[in-house]
Short mmCIF file of all heavy atoms in Angstrom, two decimals:
data_model
loop_
_atom_site.label_atom_id
_atom_site.label_comp_id
_atom_site.label_asym_id
_atom_site.label_seq_id
_atom_site.Cartn_x
_atom_site.Cartn_y
_atom_site.Cartn_z
N ASP A 347 239.93 -118.27 15.23
CA ASP A 347 238.71 -119.04 15.03
C ASP A 347 237.88 -118.98 16.36
O ASP A 347 236.60 -118.91 16.28
CB ASP A 347 239.05 -120.53 14.71
CG ASP A 347 239.53 -120.81 13.31
OD1 ASP A 347 239.19 -119.87 12.52
OD2 ASP A 347 240.11 -121.85 13.01
N MET A 348 238.58 -119.08 17.47
CA MET A 348 237.86 -118.96 18.68
C MET A 348 237.34 -117.58 18.89
O MET A 348 236.10 -117.55 19.40
CB MET A 348 238.85 -119.16 19.92
CG MET A 348 239.44 -120.64 19.90
SD MET A 348 238.18 -121.99 20.05
CE MET A 348 237.72 -121.62 21.80
N ALA A 349 237.79 -116.56 18.42
CA ALA A 349 237.31 -115.20 18.55
C ALA A 349 236.05 -115.09 17.64
O ALA A 349 235.02 -114.51 18.04
CB ALA A 349 238.31 -114.17 18.19
N SER A 350 236.13 -115.65 16.42
CA SER A 350 235.00 -115.56 15.50
C SER A 350 233.82 -116.41 16.10
O SER A 350 232.62 -115.88 15.93
CB SER A 350 235.34 -115.92 14.09
OG SER A 350 235.66 -117.39 14.02
N ILE A 351 234.05 -117.53 16.70
CA ILE A 351 232.97 -118.39 17.35
C ILE A 351 232.32 -117.61 18.48
O ILE A 351 231.10 -117.54 18.63
CB ILE A 351 233.48 -119.72 17.71
CG1 ILE A 351 233.71 -120.59 16.44
CG2 ILE A 351 232.50 -120.38 18.60
CD1 ILE A 351 234.36 -121.88 16.73
N ALA A 352 233.18 -116.94 19.27
CA ALA A 352 232.65 -116.19 20.46
C ALA A 352 231.90 -114.98 19.95
O ALA A 352 230.78 -114.61 20.52
CB ALA A 352 233.81 -115.61 21.26
N GLU A 353 232.22 -114.41 18.84
CA GLU A 353 231.49 -113.28 18.26
C GLU A 353 230.06 -113.80 17.67
O GLU A 353 229.04 -113.11 17.89
CB GLU A 353 232.34 -112.75 17.02
CG GLU A 353 231.83 -111.37 16.55
CD GLU A 353 232.88 -110.93 15.58
OE1 GLU A 353 234.02 -110.47 15.84
OE2 GLU A 353 232.55 -110.81 14.33
N ARG A 354 230.11 -114.91 17.14
CA ARG A 354 228.86 -115.47 16.55
C ARG A 354 227.85 -115.91 17.60
O ARG A 354 226.72 -115.72 17.56
CB ARG A 354 229.16 -116.72 15.70
CG ARG A 354 229.83 -116.47 14.37
CD ARG A 354 230.04 -117.72 13.57
NE ARG A 354 231.01 -117.32 12.57
CZ ARG A 354 231.98 -118.26 12.12
NH1 ARG A 354 232.10 -119.41 12.70
NH2 ARG A 354 232.85 -117.96 11.14
N ARG A 355 228.57 -116.41 18.77
CA ARG A 355 227.67 -116.71 19.89
C ARG A 355 227.03 -115.49 20.56
O ARG A 355 225.87 -115.47 20.99
CB ARG A 355 228.46 -117.55 20.99
CG ARG A 355 228.80 -118.88 20.58
CD ARG A 355 229.56 -119.56 21.64
NE ARG A 355 229.84 -120.96 21.22
CZ ARG A 355 230.83 -121.68 21.66
NH1 ARG A 355 231.59 -121.22 22.83
NH2 ARG A 355 231.07 -122.95 21.32
N ALA A 356 227.84 -114.43 20.65
CA ALA A 356 227.32 -113.12 21.12
C ALA A 356 226.26 -112.66 20.23
O ALA A 356 225.15 -112.16 20.70
CB ALA A 356 228.48 -112.15 21.31
N GLU A 357 226.40 -112.64 18.89
CA GLU A 357 225.33 -112.26 17.98
C GLU A 357 224.17 -113.10 18.15
O GLU A 357 223.04 -112.56 18.26
CB GLU A 357 225.90 -112.27 16.57
CG GLU A 357 224.90 -111.86 15.55
CD GLU A 357 225.27 -112.00 14.10
OE1 GLU A 357 226.39 -112.66 13.88
OE2 GLU A 357 224.53 -111.50 13.19
N ARG A 358 224.25 -114.41 18.34
CA ARG A 358 223.05 -115.24 18.53
C ARG A 358 222.28 -114.95 19.81
O ARG A 358 221.13 -114.89 19.71
CB ARG A 358 223.49 -116.68 18.50
CG ARG A 358 222.44 -117.75 18.77
CD ARG A 358 222.96 -119.08 18.92
NE ARG A 358 221.92 -119.98 19.20
CZ ARG A 358 222.21 -121.36 19.30
NH1 ARG A 358 223.43 -121.92 19.25
NH2 ARG A 358 221.10 -122.16 19.63
N ARG A 359 222.98 -114.73 20.83
CA ARG A 359 222.42 -114.35 22.19
C ARG A 359 221.69 -113.03 21.97
O ARG A 359 220.57 -112.89 22.49
CB ARG A 359 223.41 -114.28 23.29
CG ARG A 359 223.85 -115.56 23.79
CD ARG A 359 224.57 -115.43 25.09
NE ARG A 359 225.80 -114.69 25.03
CZ ARG A 359 226.93 -115.11 24.69
NH1 ARG A 359 227.13 -116.54 24.31
NH2 ARG A 359 228.06 -114.36 24.50
N GLU A 360 222.23 -112.14 21.32
CA GLU A 360 221.68 -110.80 21.16
C GLU A 360 220.38 -110.83 20.31
O GLU A 360 219.33 -110.30 20.61
CB GLU A 360 222.62 -109.79 20.51
CG GLU A 360 222.15 -108.37 20.62
CD GLU A 360 221.53 -107.86 19.23
OE1 GLU A 360 221.90 -108.54 18.21
OE2 GLU A 360 220.76 -106.97 19.39
N LEU A 361 220.38 -111.67 19.23
CA LEU A 361 219.20 -111.80 18.42
C LEU A 361 218.08 -112.56 19.28
O LEU A 361 216.88 -112.24 19.13
CB LEU A 361 219.52 -112.65 17.12
CG LEU A 361 220.30 -111.94 16.07
CD1 LEU A 361 220.83 -112.97 15.03
CD2 LEU A 361 219.54 -110.88 15.50
N GLU A 362 218.41 -113.62 19.88
CA GLU A 362 217.43 -114.28 20.63
C GLU A 362 216.84 -113.49 21.81
O GLU A 362 215.60 -113.62 22.22
CB GLU A 362 218.10 -115.58 21.37
CG GLU A 362 218.33 -116.69 20.27
CD GLU A 362 219.07 -117.81 20.73
OE1 GLU A 362 219.59 -117.85 21.83
OE2 GLU A 362 219.00 -118.89 20.04
N SER A 363 217.67 -112.50 22.34
CA SER A 363 217.08 -111.67 23.39
C SER A 363 216.05 -110.71 22.88
O SER A 363 215.21 -110.22 23.56
CB SER A 363 218.20 -110.90 24.10
OG SER A 363 218.74 -109.84 23.25
N ARG A 364 216.15 -110.40 21.60
CA ARG A 364 215.18 -109.54 20.87
C ARG A 364 213.88 -110.39 20.32
O ARG A 364 213.09 -109.80 19.68
CB ARG A 364 215.79 -108.78 19.74
CG ARG A 364 216.77 -107.73 20.22
CD ARG A 364 217.15 -106.84 19.12
NE ARG A 364 217.96 -107.62 18.24
CZ ARG A 364 218.16 -107.18 16.91
NH1 ARG A 364 217.75 -106.05 16.50
NH2 ARG A 364 218.99 -107.83 16.13
N GLY A 365 213.90 -111.66 20.73
CA GLY A 365 212.67 -112.42 20.17
C GLY A 365 212.79 -113.04 18.80
O GLY A 365 211.84 -113.42 18.22
N ILE A 366 214.04 -112.98 18.31
CA ILE A 366 214.27 -113.52 16.94
C ILE A 366 214.84 -114.94 17.10
O ILE A 366 215.89 -115.07 17.78
CB ILE A 366 215.20 -112.64 16.15
CG1 ILE A 366 214.55 -111.22 15.97
CG2 ILE A 366 215.53 -113.18 14.77
CD1 ILE A 366 215.59 -110.15 15.39
N SER A 367 214.14 -115.93 16.44
CA SER A 367 214.67 -117.21 16.41
C SER A 367 215.82 -117.35 15.41
O SER A 367 215.67 -116.92 14.22
CB SER A 367 213.52 -118.21 16.12
OG SER A 367 212.57 -118.16 17.16
N VAL A 368 216.79 -118.20 15.64
CA VAL A 368 217.86 -118.34 14.68
C VAL A 368 218.16 -119.93 14.47
O VAL A 368 218.03 -120.65 15.44
CB VAL A 368 219.14 -117.70 15.25
CG1 VAL A 368 219.01 -116.23 15.29
CG2 VAL A 368 219.64 -118.05 16.57
N ASN A 369 218.62 -120.07 13.29
CA ASN A 369 219.10 -121.53 12.98
C ASN A 369 220.61 -121.36 12.96
O ASN A 369 221.08 -120.52 12.26
CB ASN A 369 218.57 -122.11 11.75
CG ASN A 369 217.12 -122.34 11.87
OD1 ASN A 369 216.54 -122.52 12.99
ND2 ASN A 369 216.29 -122.47 10.73
N VAL A 370 221.35 -122.22 13.62
CA VAL A 370 222.75 -122.27 13.61
C VAL A 370 223.34 -123.51 13.13
O VAL A 370 222.92 -124.55 13.46
CB VAL A 370 223.25 -121.95 15.08
CG1 VAL A 370 224.71 -121.89 15.14
CG2 VAL A 370 222.57 -120.68 15.64
N ASP A 371 224.38 -123.35 12.38
CA ASP A 371 225.24 -124.58 11.89
C ASP A 371 226.01 -125.01 13.17
O ASP A 371 226.77 -124.27 13.61
CB ASP A 371 226.22 -124.10 10.84
CG ASP A 371 226.96 -125.32 10.18
OD1 ASP A 371 226.75 -126.46 10.61
OD2 ASP A 371 227.82 -125.16 9.45
N PRO A 372 225.82 -126.30 13.57
CA PRO A 372 226.35 -126.73 14.80
C PRO A 372 227.93 -126.78 14.74
O PRO A 372 228.62 -126.70 15.70
CB PRO A 372 225.74 -128.13 15.03
CG PRO A 372 225.16 -128.49 13.68
CD PRO A 372 224.86 -127.32 12.99
N ARG A 373 228.49 -127.06 13.67
CA ARG A 373 230.00 -127.19 13.43
C ARG A 373 230.54 -125.84 13.54
O ARG A 373 231.56 -125.66 14.37
CB ARG A 373 230.43 -127.85 12.10
CG ARG A 373 230.06 -129.26 12.14
CD ARG A 373 230.50 -130.01 10.78
NE ARG A 373 229.88 -129.22 9.64
CZ ARG A 373 230.59 -128.77 8.74
NH1 ARG A 373 231.88 -128.99 8.50
NH2 ARG A 373 230.07 -128.07 7.70
N THR A 374 230.15 -124.82 12.79
CA THR A 374 230.89 -123.54 12.78
C THR A 374 230.15 -122.45 13.68
O THR A 374 230.72 -121.41 13.84
CB THR A 374 230.89 -123.10 11.39
OG1 THR A 374 229.54 -122.87 10.88
CG2 THR A 374 231.61 -124.08 10.35
N GLU A 375 229.01 -122.79 14.19
CA GLU A 375 228.17 -121.92 14.86
C GLU A 375 227.83 -120.62 14.09
O GLU A 375 227.53 -119.67 14.63
CB GLU A 375 228.85 -121.49 16.15
CG GLU A 375 229.18 -122.65 17.07
CD GLU A 375 228.88 -122.50 18.58
OE1 GLU A 375 228.25 -121.48 18.84
OE2 GLU A 375 229.10 -123.41 19.26
N GLU A 376 227.81 -120.74 12.69
CA GLU A 376 227.50 -119.70 11.86
C GLU A 376 225.83 -119.62 11.77
O GLU A 376 225.09 -120.62 11.74
CB GLU A 376 228.06 -119.86 10.51
CG GLU A 376 227.78 -118.82 9.54
CD GLU A 376 228.48 -119.11 8.29
OE1 GLU A 376 229.42 -119.84 8.15
OE2 GLU A 376 228.03 -118.37 7.25
N ILE A 377 225.29 -118.41 11.90
CA ILE A 377 223.93 -118.27 11.71
C ILE A 377 223.50 -118.48 10.30
O ILE A 377 223.97 -117.72 9.46
CB ILE A 377 223.46 -116.88 12.29
CG1 ILE A 377 223.75 -116.78 13.78
CG2 ILE A 377 221.93 -116.61 12.05
CD1 ILE A 377 223.54 -115.36 14.33
N THR A 378 222.52 -119.49 10.06
CA THR A 378 222.19 -119.93 8.69
C THR A 378 220.75 -119.18 8.36
O THR A 378 220.52 -118.98 7.21
CB THR A 378 222.03 -121.30 8.54
OG1 THR A 378 221.24 -121.83 9.57
CG2 THR A 378 223.36 -121.95 8.72
N ALA A 379 220.00 -118.89 9.33
CA ALA A 379 218.62 -118.29 9.14
C ALA A 379 218.14 -117.63 10.39
O ALA A 379 218.55 -118.07 11.52
CB ALA A 379 217.57 -119.36 8.80
N ARG A 380 217.35 -116.54 10.30
CA ARG A 380 216.83 -115.90 11.37
C ARG A 380 215.43 -115.52 10.98
O ARG A 380 215.11 -115.10 9.89
CB ARG A 380 217.61 -114.65 11.77
CG ARG A 380 217.90 -113.70 10.66
CD ARG A 380 218.85 -112.64 11.20
NE ARG A 380 220.18 -113.09 10.87
CZ ARG A 380 221.27 -112.37 11.11
NH1 ARG A 380 221.17 -111.14 11.42
NH2 ARG A 380 222.51 -112.87 10.96
N TYR A 381 214.45 -115.62 11.86
CA TYR A 381 213.16 -115.40 11.68
C TYR A 381 212.34 -114.99 12.93
O TYR A 381 212.87 -115.24 14.09
CB TYR A 381 212.37 -116.56 10.97
CG TYR A 381 212.42 -117.81 11.74
CD1 TYR A 381 211.30 -118.16 12.66
CD2 TYR A 381 213.48 -118.58 11.78
CE1 TYR A 381 211.36 -119.38 13.42
CE2 TYR A 381 213.56 -119.82 12.50
CZ TYR A 381 212.46 -120.10 13.27
OH TYR A 381 212.52 -121.32 14.06
N ARG A 382 211.26 -114.29 12.84
CA ARG A 382 210.56 -113.89 14.01
C ARG A 382 209.22 -114.69 14.05
O ARG A 382 208.41 -114.62 13.23
CB ARG A 382 210.15 -112.44 13.90
CG ARG A 382 211.45 -111.53 13.88
CD ARG A 382 210.96 -110.10 13.91
NE ARG A 382 210.68 -109.69 15.31
CZ ARG A 382 210.51 -108.54 15.65
NH1 ARG A 382 210.53 -107.65 14.84
NH2 ARG A 382 210.14 -108.31 17.04
N PRO A 383 209.12 -115.70 15.01
CA PRO A 383 207.96 -116.52 15.01
C PRO A 383 206.76 -115.80 15.43
O PRO A 383 206.65 -114.86 16.23
CB PRO A 383 208.29 -117.49 16.03
CG PRO A 383 209.30 -116.95 16.96
CD PRO A 383 210.06 -116.01 15.97
N ASP A 384 205.67 -116.01 14.66
CA ASP A 384 204.31 -115.39 15.01
C ASP A 384 203.29 -116.40 15.48
O ASP A 384 203.61 -117.57 15.40
CB ASP A 384 203.86 -114.50 13.85
CG ASP A 384 203.51 -115.35 12.62
OD1 ASP A 384 203.65 -116.57 12.68
OD2 ASP A 384 203.22 -114.88 11.53
N CYS A 385 202.18 -115.97 15.84
CA CYS A 385 201.15 -116.77 16.33
C CYS A 385 200.61 -117.80 15.29
O CYS A 385 200.24 -118.91 15.71
CB CYS A 385 199.97 -115.98 16.89
SG CYS A 385 199.04 -115.12 15.82
N PHE A 386 200.61 -117.47 13.99
CA PHE A 386 200.18 -118.28 13.03
C PHE A 386 201.04 -119.56 12.85
O PHE A 386 200.55 -120.61 12.67
CB PHE A 386 199.94 -117.53 11.54
CG PHE A 386 198.91 -116.38 11.78
CD1 PHE A 386 199.20 -115.19 11.53
CD2 PHE A 386 197.55 -116.87 11.90
CE1 PHE A 386 198.25 -114.15 11.56
CE2 PHE A 386 196.68 -115.80 11.98
CZ PHE A 386 196.99 -114.45 11.87
N THR A 387 202.36 -119.28 12.77
CA THR A 387 203.26 -120.39 12.61
C THR A 387 203.21 -121.33 13.93
O THR A 387 203.36 -122.51 13.79
CB THR A 387 204.72 -119.97 12.45
OG1 THR A 387 205.23 -119.12 13.42
CG2 THR A 387 204.82 -119.20 11.07
N MET A 388 203.01 -120.70 14.99
CA MET A 388 202.94 -121.54 16.26
C MET A 388 201.72 -122.33 16.42
O MET A 388 201.68 -123.56 16.57
CB MET A 388 203.07 -120.63 17.48
CG MET A 388 203.14 -121.36 18.82
SD MET A 388 203.14 -120.32 20.11
CE MET A 388 201.49 -119.63 20.20
N LEU A 389 200.47 -121.62 16.21
CA LEU A 389 199.28 -122.27 16.32
C LEU A 389 198.82 -123.22 15.12
O LEU A 389 197.91 -123.97 15.39
CB LEU A 389 198.15 -121.18 16.55
CG LEU A 389 198.36 -120.37 17.81
CD1 LEU A 389 197.36 -119.23 17.92
CD2 LEU A 389 198.23 -121.19 19.16
N LEU A 390 199.14 -122.92 14.06
CA LEU A 390 198.83 -123.70 12.93
C LEU A 390 199.90 -124.70 12.45
O LEU A 390 199.82 -125.13 11.30
CB LEU A 390 198.43 -122.66 11.72
CG LEU A 390 197.35 -121.72 12.02
CD1 LEU A 390 197.07 -120.73 10.86
CD2 LEU A 390 196.05 -122.35 12.44
N ARG A 391 200.70 -125.05 13.31
CA ARG A 391 201.71 -126.10 13.07
C ARG A 391 200.99 -127.39 12.68
O ARG A 391 200.09 -127.82 13.40
CB ARG A 391 202.56 -126.15 14.08
CG ARG A 391 203.89 -127.10 13.84
CD ARG A 391 204.92 -126.99 14.95
NE ARG A 391 205.44 -125.72 14.99
CZ ARG A 391 205.87 -125.01 16.04
NH1 ARG A 391 205.58 -125.64 17.23
NH2 ARG A 391 206.36 -123.94 15.96
N GLY A 392 201.27 -127.97 11.57
CA GLY A 392 200.61 -129.18 11.22
C GLY A 392 199.25 -128.96 10.46
O GLY A 392 198.52 -129.94 10.23
N ARG A 393 198.89 -127.73 10.14
CA ARG A 393 197.64 -127.35 9.46
C ARG A 393 198.12 -126.54 8.30
O ARG A 393 197.90 -125.39 8.19
CB ARG A 393 196.79 -126.60 10.36
CG ARG A 393 196.23 -127.36 11.53
CD ARG A 393 195.59 -126.47 12.46
NE ARG A 393 195.04 -127.29 13.68
CZ ARG A 393 193.77 -127.23 14.13
NH1 ARG A 393 192.99 -126.34 13.69
NH2 ARG A 393 193.48 -127.87 15.15
N PRO A 394 198.66 -127.18 7.27
CA PRO A 394 199.13 -126.39 6.04
C PRO A 394 198.00 -125.64 5.25
O PRO A 394 198.22 -124.60 4.65
CB PRO A 394 199.73 -127.37 5.11
CG PRO A 394 199.24 -128.74 5.56
CD PRO A 394 198.82 -128.69 7.04
N ASP A 395 196.81 -126.26 5.27
CA ASP A 395 195.73 -125.56 4.56
C ASP A 395 195.35 -124.16 5.27
O ASP A 395 195.16 -123.09 4.56
CB ASP A 395 194.43 -126.41 4.50
CG ASP A 395 194.64 -127.61 3.70
OD1 ASP A 395 195.61 -127.61 2.79
OD2 ASP A 395 193.87 -128.58 3.93
N GLU A 396 195.33 -124.16 6.61
CA GLU A 396 195.02 -122.92 7.28
C GLU A 396 196.04 -121.97 7.12
O GLU A 396 195.92 -120.69 7.04
CB GLU A 396 194.74 -123.18 8.70
CG GLU A 396 193.27 -123.80 8.98
CD GLU A 396 193.26 -125.26 8.91
OE1 GLU A 396 194.23 -125.84 8.56
OE2 GLU A 396 192.20 -125.87 9.23
N GLN A 397 197.33 -122.39 7.22
CA GLN A 397 198.51 -121.45 7.09
C GLN A 397 198.49 -120.88 5.59
O GLN A 397 198.78 -119.66 5.52
CB GLN A 397 199.84 -122.31 7.13
CG GLN A 397 200.14 -122.54 8.63
CD GLN A 397 201.38 -123.32 8.82
OE1 GLN A 397 201.93 -123.95 7.81
NE2 GLN A 397 202.20 -123.14 9.88
N ALA A 398 198.07 -121.66 4.65
CA ALA A 398 198.11 -121.22 3.26
C ALA A 398 196.95 -120.11 3.18
O ALA A 398 197.08 -119.12 2.33
CB ALA A 398 197.86 -122.38 2.28
N ALA A 399 195.84 -120.38 3.82
CA ALA A 399 194.68 -119.40 3.79
C ALA A 399 195.21 -118.07 4.48
O ALA A 399 194.85 -117.05 3.87
CB ALA A 399 193.60 -119.90 4.52
N VAL A 400 195.84 -117.98 5.54
CA VAL A 400 196.40 -116.87 6.08
C VAL A 400 197.44 -116.18 5.10
O VAL A 400 197.30 -114.90 4.93
CB VAL A 400 197.07 -117.12 7.48
CG1 VAL A 400 197.79 -115.81 8.04
CG2 VAL A 400 196.05 -117.49 8.41
N GLN A 401 198.29 -116.91 4.50
CA GLN A 401 199.22 -116.36 3.56
C GLN A 401 198.40 -115.76 2.32
O GLN A 401 198.81 -114.67 1.77
CB GLN A 401 200.27 -117.31 3.11
CG GLN A 401 201.16 -117.74 4.28
CD GLN A 401 202.05 -118.87 3.98
OE1 GLN A 401 201.91 -119.62 2.89
NE2 GLN A 401 202.94 -119.19 4.70
N TRP A 402 197.44 -116.48 1.95
CA TRP A 402 196.50 -115.88 0.80
C TRP A 402 195.98 -114.54 1.13
O TRP A 402 195.91 -113.62 0.37
CB TRP A 402 195.54 -116.95 0.58
CG TRP A 402 194.34 -116.57 -0.37
CD1 TRP A 402 194.54 -116.44 -1.84
CD2 TRP A 402 193.08 -116.27 -0.12
NE1 TRP A 402 193.26 -116.05 -2.31
CE2 TRP A 402 192.39 -115.86 -1.23
CE3 TRP A 402 192.36 -116.04 1.07
CZ2 TRP A 402 191.15 -115.48 -1.39
CZ3 TRP A 402 190.99 -115.75 1.05
CH2 TRP A 402 190.40 -115.35 -0.09
N LEU A 403 195.39 -114.47 2.36
CA LEU A 403 194.81 -113.21 2.85
C LEU A 403 195.86 -112.13 2.90
O LEU A 403 195.56 -111.06 2.43
CB LEU A 403 194.08 -113.36 4.16
CG LEU A 403 193.37 -112.14 4.67
CD1 LEU A 403 192.25 -111.71 3.75
CD2 LEU A 403 192.92 -112.33 6.09
N GLU A 404 197.01 -112.50 3.44
CA GLU A 404 198.05 -111.38 3.51
C GLU A 404 198.49 -111.05 2.06
O GLU A 404 198.64 -109.74 1.77
CB GLU A 404 199.31 -112.05 4.30
CG GLU A 404 200.37 -110.97 4.58
CD GLU A 404 201.47 -111.56 5.33
OE1 GLU A 404 201.60 -112.70 5.51
OE2 GLU A 404 202.17 -110.61 5.94
N LYS A 405 198.57 -111.87 1.13
CA LYS A 405 198.97 -111.54 -0.29
C LYS A 405 197.91 -110.76 -0.89
O LYS A 405 198.14 -109.70 -1.64
CB LYS A 405 199.16 -112.78 -1.03
CG LYS A 405 199.64 -112.54 -2.50
CD LYS A 405 199.85 -113.83 -3.19
CE LYS A 405 200.20 -113.49 -4.65
NZ LYS A 405 200.28 -114.78 -5.41
N LEU A 406 196.52 -111.06 -0.63
CA LEU A 406 195.46 -110.13 -1.17
C LEU A 406 195.52 -108.69 -0.56
O LEU A 406 195.32 -107.81 -1.36
CB LEU A 406 194.14 -110.76 -0.68
CG LEU A 406 193.44 -111.86 -1.47
CD1 LEU A 406 192.07 -112.32 -0.95
CD2 LEU A 406 193.27 -111.41 -2.98
#
Side-chain angles (χ1 to χ4, degrees):
D347 288 343
M348 294 302 289
S350 67
I351 287 177
E353 195 175 290
R354 290 182 196 139
R355 286 180 182 164
E357 181 184 8
R358 177 183 179 185
R359 280 192 302 274
E360 193 265 330
L361 288 171
E362 287 175 344
S363 71
R364 289 191 290 163
I366 299 173
S367 296
V368 292
N369 289 341
V370 179
D371 182 6
R373 289 181 306 132
T374 62
E375 302 226 6
E376 186 176 336
I377 296 174
T378 57
R380 52 187 88 172
Y381 59 95
R382 297 183 84 173
D384 63 3
C385 69
F386 296 116
T387 57
M388 179 186 72
L389 297 175
L390 301 176
R391 190 171 290 143
R393 298 175 180 222
D395 293 339
E396 283 89 349
Q397 282 182 337
V400 170
Q401 291 169 355
W402 170 78
L403 181 64
E404 186 174 19
K405 184 179 176 185
L406 273 181

